[in-house]
Amino acid sequence: MKWKSLLLSAMLVLSFALPANAASFGSEPGVPTDKTWSVQFNTTIDEDSLDEVYVTKEGSSAQLQQSISLSSEDTVSIEAPDEGYQPSQSYTLHIGGITSSAGVSMTEETTYDFTIQEENKKSATVTRVVDGDTIEVNVDGETEDVRMLLVDTPETKHPSKPVQPFGPEASEFAKEKLSGKEITLEFDGPKRDKYDRLLAYVWVDDKNFNKMLLEEGLARYAYVYDPPYTYSQEFMKAQNRAKDAEKGIWSIDGYVTEDGFNSDATEEETGTGDDNTNDGYTGPYDPSGDDRNCGDFDTQEEAQSFFEAAGGPDSDPHRLDGDGNGVACESLP
């Protein structure tokens, strides 16, 4: 049997001569879910001899329901099932019983194994914003933590680090854009990190939120562990624009480093004063911890103290100052 394989118009064409003996063409990974196969022979084919051309799923002998026909007088076309092939699933293409218009037939079946690529997008609903670059979502009925790919925002909830400049702003920006939203997660490389969080680009309202963080100067381009990544060049350009404009984290000389953020940057450089630290706050809640609302406080004075410890009035990550006048929870006694 003589055969060769080549890529033609996005369809793998298997070419071989009749008569053909039993053989396996090998295997192919990363096949798209809507793949159409074309099998080309060295002669014209009898259209009534296609009954033994079919596809089976790994572990099953059942033939898939799909359209199989002659796309030309010497080429058999095997379309994907209407619902498509299943991501990450392996299949076998069976080619047998083919007869030429001159009456020459294949003597035995030939097979070709292929595996469908992993699904790289998932719809999800944001159930909680953890911080600027981490969210909690509901995906396929399961709760998952998502760490955004290729971006790093300043810390607000690290167990051993203080709240860092522009961390609250990044968290607030994420809450504003993502809270309760229907989003699309796009995977690019390994799907999980060592903490079992999903690693993904977050798309909201047809915009890449990871890129938005970089554009606003609220994140640095980081954690490039498994290149190439789809949006690397785009993200680096977005970061450079923010850096040139000295936006956000780039407004503090020496603040952004290759390893993260320089916590020794002075408060004077950040444009925030002593009111934006937790020093002196003795209330029951952690200003950099879980989200709080006015119902958590008995008096306006308590809310105001917490509000200022969390970064107010310059930053309001807990959204306690609805009218932006610097006074938190004005309805409280």
Side-chain angles (χ1 to χ4, degrees):
M1 179 183 71
K2 297 179 180 179
W3 63 274
K4 60 181 179 178
S5 64
L6 63 153
L7 197 63
L8 180 64
S9 301
M11 297 188 296
L12 186 71
V13 178
L14 306 176
S15 301
F16 56 96
L18 287 175
N21 297 318
S24 172
F25 282 127
S27 61
E28 180 177 348
V31 173
T33 58
D34 60 351
K35 180 73 173 184
T36 293
W37 297 100
S38 286
V39 183
Q40 187 177 56
F41 293 81
N42 69 330
T43 185
T44 57
I45 300 301
D46 180 357
E47 190 169 10
D48 294 329
S49 66
L50 305 183
D51 291 345
E52 294 182 43
V53 178
Y54 58 94
V55 175
T56 58
K57 186 165 66 173
E58 184 180 41
S60 173
S61 60
Q63 299 181 19
L64 300 187
Q65 298 298 310
Q66 55 198 130
S67 175
I68 299 173
S69 61
L70 288 180
S71 57
S72 65
E73 62 182 12
D74 64 352
T75 302
V76 180
S77 177
I78 303 100
E79 296 183 11
D82 289 342
E83 68 278 11
Y85 295 109
Q86 296 178 9
S88 304
Q89 180 66 54
S90 295
Y91 296 86
T92 298
L93 170 60
H94 302 260
I95 306 164
I98 298 294
T99 301
S100 73
S101 56
V104 180
S105 299
M106 293 182 68
T107 57
E108 296 182 56
E109 180 185 82
T110 297
T111 61
Y112 187 80
D113 297 325
F114 59 97
T115 302
I116 303 302
Q117 64 191 10
E118 289 189 25
E119 190 173 19
N120 74 330
K121 289 186 179 181
K122 281 279 190 181
S123 296
T125 303
V126 178
T127 54
R128 184 169 71 97
V129 172
V130 178
D131 58 23
D133 54 30
T134 307
I135 57 176
E136 180 187 88
V137 303
N138 183 292
V139 55
D140 293 336
E142 300 289 335
T143 298
E144 295 272 12
D145 287 330
V146 178
R147 179 62 171 80
M148 298 178 199
L149 269 173
L150 304 185
V151 294
D152 179 33
T153 61
E155 296 291 349
T156 60
K157 297 185 178 181
H158 196 282
S160 61
K161 294 181 181 179
V163 175
Q164 295 177 319
F166 293 101
E169 287 85 345
S171 295
E172 182 66 18
F173 184 70
K175 289 176 182 177
E176 176 188 340
K177 299 295 184 182
L178 300 178
S179 292
K181 289 291 189 71
E182 297 295 321
I183 62 170
T184 298
L185 302 176
E186 181 180 355
F187 307 108
D188 193 8
K191 291 182 71 171
R192 293 186 182 273
D193 65 9
K194 62 182 180 180
Y195 304 109
D196 201 37
R197 298 177 297 186
L198 291 173
L199 298 171
Y201 306 113
V202 174
W203 290 87
V204 58
D205 299 328
D206 296 324
K207 295 181 180 179
N208 189 314
F209 183 75
N210 307 45
K211 180 181 176 182
M212 292 167 65
L213 285 170
L214 295 168
E215 290 174 329
E216 295 296 322
L218 296 175
R220 67 186 185 101
Y221 177 72
Y223 303 127
V224 189
Y225 293 138
D226 192 39
Y229 287 97
T230 303
Y231 303 107
S232 287
Q233 294 300 316
E234 192 174 329
F235 280 15
M236 285 190 286
K237 289 178 181 178
Q239 173 174 272
N240 288 338
R241 289 193 296 270
K243 185 176 182 180
D244 291 343
E246 297 184 350
K247 296 180 70 173
I249 58 176
W250 303 105
S251 66
I252 308 170
D253 186 37
Y255 179 46
V256 183
T257 71
E258 290 186 1
D259 298 322
F261 300 94
N262 179 12
S263 295
D264 293 331
T266 67
E267 291 177 354
E268 181 178 351
E269 287 180 301
T270 68
T272 60
D274 290 341
D275 287 343
N276 279 350
T277 72
N278 294 349
D279 293 345
Y281 176 71
T282 59
Y285 305 123
D286 179 2
S288 59
D290 292 340
D291 195 24
R292 297 294 172 184
N293 58 52
C294 292
D296 292 317
F297 305 97
D298 294 328
T299 67
Q300 192 278 327
E301 184 179 359
E302 289 179 5
Q304 185 70 24
S305 178
F306 176 85
F307 167 67
E308 292 176 0
D314 294 320
S315 175
D316 185 17
H318 299 274
R319 303 179 302 283
L320 301 178
D321 181 13
D323 56 10
N325 67 351
V327 180
C329 303
E330 294 177 80
S331 62
L332 291 177

